[in-house]
Amino acid sequence: MNLLRPAGEEGISGRLAACKSKARSGFSFPQRKGIHMSVNFTEHTAATYISAIRATLQEELQALGCSIIQACDEDGDLLFWDEREDRHYLVQFDEDKDPQFMRFSFWFWGIDDAVEREQAVRCCEAVTGVGKMVKLFILAHEREKVCISIELLLPVVQDANGQLDMEATNPLVRACLSRGLLIRYLNQLRTAANEFGRRMREMRSESSPSRWLN
Protein backbone atom coordinates (compact mmCIF):
# COMPACT_ATOMS: atom_id res chain seq x y z
CA MET A 1 0.00 0.00 0.00
CA ASN A 2 1.53 3.34 -1.04
CA LEU A 3 1.30 5.87 1.78
CA LEU A 4 3.03 8.64 -0.17
CA ARG A 5 -0.15 10.41 -1.21
CA PRO A 6 -0.63 14.13 -2.01
CA ALA A 7 -1.90 16.44 0.69
CA GLY A 8 -1.56 20.15 1.46
CA GLU A 9 -0.75 22.19 -1.65
CA GLU A 10 -2.48 21.13 -4.82
CA GLY A 11 -0.24 19.41 -7.36
CA ILE A 12 2.61 20.97 -9.30
CA SER A 13 1.35 24.54 -8.99
CA GLY A 14 1.51 24.25 -5.21
CA ARG A 15 5.04 22.84 -5.36
CA LEU A 16 6.22 25.69 -7.56
CA ALA A 17 4.58 28.26 -5.30
CA ALA A 18 6.22 26.68 -2.28
CA CYS A 19 9.74 26.55 -3.70
CA LYS A 20 9.48 30.07 -5.15
CA SER A 21 8.61 31.39 -1.71
CA LYS A 22 11.23 29.37 0.17
CA ALA A 23 13.20 32.50 1.07
CA ARG A 24 10.13 33.90 2.85
CA SER A 25 9.37 30.60 4.55
CA GLY A 26 12.83 30.08 6.05
CA PHE A 27 13.95 27.46 3.51
CA SER A 28 16.83 29.59 2.30
CA PHE A 29 20.57 29.47 2.67
CA PRO A 30 22.09 30.96 5.82
CA GLN A 31 24.52 33.84 5.58
CA ARG A 32 27.98 32.37 5.15
CA LYS A 33 30.93 34.48 6.17
CA GLY A 34 34.54 33.59 5.56
CA ILE A 35 33.87 30.46 3.50
CA HIS A 36 37.10 29.16 1.99
CA MET A 37 36.66 27.72 -1.48
CA SER A 38 39.39 26.11 -3.56
CA VAL A 39 38.63 28.29 -6.58
CA ASN A 40 38.25 32.06 -6.78
CA PHE A 41 34.80 32.23 -8.33
CA THR A 42 33.70 35.33 -10.19
CA GLU A 43 30.08 36.05 -11.08
CA HIS A 44 30.77 34.70 -14.57
CA THR A 45 32.62 31.53 -13.52
CA ALA A 46 30.04 30.77 -10.82
CA ALA A 47 27.27 31.02 -13.41
CA THR A 48 29.27 28.82 -15.82
CA TYR A 49 29.87 26.23 -13.10
CA ILE A 50 26.23 26.10 -11.98
CA SER A 51 25.07 25.91 -15.60
CA ALA A 52 27.31 22.89 -16.20
CA ILE A 53 26.02 21.21 -13.04
CA ARG A 54 22.40 21.82 -14.03
CA ALA A 55 22.97 20.46 -17.53
CA THR A 56 24.61 17.30 -16.20
CA LEU A 57 21.94 16.86 -13.56
CA GLN A 58 19.08 17.25 -16.03
CA GLU A 59 20.68 14.76 -18.43
CA GLU A 60 21.20 12.13 -15.73
CA LEU A 61 17.78 12.62 -14.15
CA GLN A 62 16.03 12.30 -17.49
CA ALA A 63 18.00 9.13 -18.16
CA LEU A 64 16.51 7.79 -14.91
CA GLY A 65 13.01 8.57 -16.14
CA CYS A 66 12.58 11.78 -14.13
CA SER A 67 10.94 14.88 -15.60
CA ILE A 68 12.33 18.39 -15.11
CA ILE A 69 9.31 20.49 -14.17
CA GLN A 70 10.76 23.97 -13.95
CA ALA A 71 13.70 26.12 -12.91
CA CYS A 72 12.22 27.80 -9.87
CA ASP A 73 14.09 31.07 -9.41
CA GLU A 74 17.05 33.26 -10.30
CA ASP A 75 19.46 30.74 -8.77
CA GLY A 76 18.37 28.14 -11.32
CA ASP A 77 16.95 25.77 -8.72
CA LEU A 78 15.21 22.75 -10.21
CA LEU A 79 11.96 20.98 -9.46
CA PHE A 80 11.80 17.46 -10.86
CA TRP A 81 9.33 14.59 -10.74
CA ASP A 82 10.31 10.96 -10.19
CA GLU A 83 7.62 8.94 -11.97
CA ARG A 84 8.60 5.71 -10.21
CA GLU A 85 7.77 7.20 -6.81
CA ASP A 86 5.23 9.81 -7.96
CA ARG A 87 7.19 12.40 -6.03
CA HIS A 88 8.53 15.90 -6.62
CA TYR A 89 12.05 16.87 -5.54
CA LEU A 90 13.65 20.29 -5.26
CA VAL A 91 17.34 20.81 -6.12
CA GLN A 92 18.83 24.02 -4.74
CA PHE A 93 22.04 25.84 -5.58
CA ASP A 94 23.80 28.75 -3.87
CA GLU A 95 25.38 30.51 -6.81
CA ASP A 96 26.12 33.78 -5.01
CA LYS A 97 27.79 32.51 -1.86
CA ASP A 98 28.88 28.90 -2.43
CA PRO A 99 28.61 27.59 -6.01
CA GLN A 100 29.92 24.15 -5.04
CA PHE A 101 26.94 23.55 -2.73
CA MET A 102 23.86 21.59 -3.85
CA ARG A 103 20.85 20.31 -1.92
CA PHE A 104 18.25 17.67 -2.84
CA SER A 105 15.08 17.85 -0.77
CA PHE A 106 11.39 17.12 -0.52
CA TRP A 107 8.71 17.69 2.13
CA PHE A 108 6.46 14.85 3.05
CA TRP A 109 4.69 14.96 6.42
CA GLY A 110 2.15 17.61 7.43
CA ILE A 111 1.97 18.66 11.09
CA ASP A 112 -1.44 19.43 12.56
CA ASP A 113 -0.87 20.33 16.21
CA ALA A 114 1.66 21.01 18.96
CA VAL A 115 1.75 17.40 20.16
CA GLU A 116 2.51 16.12 16.67
CA ARG A 117 5.15 18.83 16.24
CA GLU A 118 6.95 17.70 19.40
CA GLN A 119 6.86 14.10 18.19
CA ALA A 120 8.11 15.16 14.75
CA VAL A 121 11.06 17.05 16.26
CA ARG A 122 12.09 13.95 18.20
CA CYS A 123 11.79 11.73 15.13
CA CYS A 124 13.71 14.23 12.98
CA GLU A 125 16.58 14.22 15.46
CA ALA A 126 16.58 10.43 15.70
CA VAL A 127 16.53 9.77 11.94
CA THR A 128 19.11 12.48 11.22
CA GLY A 129 21.34 10.88 13.84
CA VAL A 130 21.28 7.41 12.25
CA GLY A 131 20.82 8.31 8.57
CA LYS A 132 23.54 8.59 5.96
CA MET A 133 23.97 12.13 4.59
CA VAL A 134 20.37 13.11 5.37
CA LYS A 135 18.92 15.95 7.43
CA LEU A 136 15.32 16.15 8.59
CA PHE A 137 13.83 19.41 9.84
CA ILE A 138 10.52 21.24 10.11
CA LEU A 139 9.68 23.76 7.41
CA ALA A 140 7.00 26.42 7.81
CA HIS A 141 5.08 27.32 4.65
CA GLU A 142 1.33 27.80 5.04
CA ARG A 143 1.30 24.56 7.03
CA GLU A 144 4.22 23.16 9.02
CA LYS A 145 5.69 20.06 7.45
CA VAL A 146 8.73 17.84 7.73
CA CYS A 147 11.40 18.30 5.08
CA ILE A 148 14.26 15.94 4.31
CA SER A 149 17.44 16.84 2.44
CA ILE A 150 20.82 15.62 1.25
CA GLU A 151 23.56 18.21 0.80
CA LEU A 152 26.58 17.85 -1.47
CA LEU A 153 29.79 19.77 -2.09
CA LEU A 154 30.77 19.30 -5.72
CA PRO A 155 34.38 19.29 -6.96
CA VAL A 156 36.25 21.99 -8.84
CA VAL A 157 39.67 22.09 -10.48
CA GLN A 158 41.68 25.29 -10.58
CA ASP A 159 44.25 26.33 -13.12
CA ALA A 160 47.69 27.75 -12.34
CA ASN A 161 46.13 31.13 -11.60
CA GLY A 162 43.59 29.75 -9.15
CA GLN A 163 40.72 30.17 -11.61
CA LEU A 164 38.08 27.62 -12.55
CA ASP A 165 39.20 25.03 -15.11
CA MET A 166 35.89 23.76 -16.50
CA GLU A 167 37.49 21.28 -18.91
CA ALA A 168 39.11 19.46 -15.98
CA THR A 169 36.15 20.01 -13.65
CA ASN A 170 33.39 18.62 -15.87
CA PRO A 171 34.41 14.91 -15.63
CA LEU A 172 34.50 15.16 -11.83
CA VAL A 173 31.06 16.78 -11.66
CA ARG A 174 29.66 14.11 -13.96
CA ALA A 175 31.11 11.40 -11.72
CA CYS A 176 29.46 12.91 -8.62
CA LEU A 177 26.11 13.19 -10.42
CA SER A 178 26.22 9.85 -12.20
CA ARG A 179 23.04 7.83 -12.46
CA GLY A 180 24.29 5.31 -9.91
CA LEU A 181 24.96 7.99 -7.29
CA LEU A 182 21.71 9.85 -8.04
CA ILE A 183 19.82 6.62 -7.44
CA ARG A 184 21.61 6.24 -4.13
CA TYR A 185 20.90 9.86 -3.09
CA LEU A 186 17.18 9.40 -3.82
CA ASN A 187 17.14 6.03 -2.08
CA GLN A 188 18.72 7.57 1.02
CA LEU A 189 16.02 10.25 1.08
CA ARG A 190 13.23 7.69 0.70
CA THR A 191 14.73 5.36 3.31
CA ALA A 192 14.98 8.17 5.85
CA ALA A 193 11.44 9.36 5.11
CA ASN A 194 10.12 5.83 5.60
CA GLU A 195 12.03 5.53 8.87
CA PHE A 196 10.58 8.83 10.06
CA GLY A 197 7.08 7.58 9.22
CA ARG A 198 7.68 4.30 11.05
CA ARG A 199 8.86 6.10 14.19
CA MET A 200 5.93 8.54 14.08
CA ARG A 201 3.42 5.72 13.72
CA GLU A 202 5.01 3.91 16.64
CA MET A 203 4.74 7.04 18.76
CA ARG A 204 1.12 7.56 17.78
CA SER A 205 0.32 3.81 17.75
CA GLU A 206 -1.59 4.23 14.52
CA SER A 207 -1.00 4.77 10.78
CA SER A 208 -1.69 8.28 9.46
CA PRO A 209 -1.40 8.04 5.67
CA SER A 210 -3.20 11.34 5.09
CA ARG A 211 -0.27 13.16 6.70
CA TRP A 212 2.13 12.16 3.94
CA LEU A 213 2.75 14.78 1.27
CA ASN A 214 3.80 14.19 -2.33
Side-chain angles (χ1 to χ4, degrees):
M1 177 176 169
N2 180 14
L3 298 181
L4 304 182
R5 301 193 306 187
E9 297 89 359
E10 293 297 324
I12 293 174
S13 61
R15 300 294 173 236
L16 290 171
C19 63
K20 285 181 179 178
S21 63
K22 62 184 179 294
R24 296 191 298 275
S25 67
F27 193 49
S28 56
F29 296 108
Q31 294 295 320
R32 296 178 172 90
K33 296 182 180 179
I35 289 179
H36 175 74
M37 291 180 285
S38 56
V39 166
N40 297 318
F41 283 99
T42 65
E43 182 177 350
H44 173 71
T45 56
T48 299
Y49 182 68
I50 295 291
S51 178
I53 292 171
R54 290 180 71 247
T56 297
L57 185 59
Q58 290 186 59
E59 178 184 335
E60 296 298 319
L61 286 171
Q62 288 169 341
L64 289 176
C66 300
S67 301
I68 306 300
I69 305 300
Q70 187 170 326
C72 297
D73 58 23
E74 63 275 8
D75 290 325
D77 297 343
L78 296 174
L79 186 71
F80 71 90
W81 177 54
D82 185 349
E83 182 177 358
R84 298 165 303 172
E85 296 290 328
D86 191 23
R87 180 182 296 287
H88 293 90
Y89 294 85
L90 178 66
V91 185
Q92 288 180 282
F93 304 97
D94 191 10
E95 183 174 326
D96 293 336
K97 300 182 181 67
D98 191 356
Q100 292 178 256
F101 180 89
M102 185 172 70
R103 174 193 283 154
F104 291 87
S105 62
F106 66 86
W107 45 98
F108 66 100
W109 187 284
I111 296 174
D112 290 335
D113 53 47
V115 172
E116 186 172 29
R117 189 184 197 283
E118 181 180 352
Q119 293 171 336
V121 168
R122 291 165 59 187
C123 288
C124 283
E125 291 175 349
V127 177
T128 298
V130 300
K132 295 180 179 179
M133 300 177 68
V134 297
K135 293 181 181 179
L136 286 86
F137 51 94
I138 295 175
L139 169 68
H141 172 71
E142 298 180 359
R143 174 192 183 193
E144 281 195 319
K145 63 201 71 169
V146 176
C147 183
I148 183 169
S149 70
I150 281 182
E151 298 177 350
L152 307 176
L153 288 176
L154 296 176
V156 294
V157 178
Q158 61 183 351
D159 61 21
N161 298 316
Q163 301 303 311
L164 177 65
D165 183 341
M166 277 307 303
E167 184 176 354
T169 295
N170 269 325
L172 300 181
V173 169
R174 295 191 71 87
C176 290
L177 299 178
S178 66
R179 267 161 267 179
L181 284 177
L182 287 176
I183 289 171
R184 179 138 195 217
Y185 301 151
L186 299 182
N187 284 343
Q188 292 292 341
L189 290 170
R190 287 191 291 268
T191 298
N194 289 335
E195 177 63 13
F196 174 91
R198 184 189 69 79
R199 289 172 182 261
M200 285 292 288
R201 287 191 294 273
E202 284 185 353
M203 294 181 73
R204 298 182 70 90
S205 300
E206 61 180 8
S207 177
S208 303
S210 63
R211 301 182 188 279
W212 289 80
L213 305 177
N214 181 27

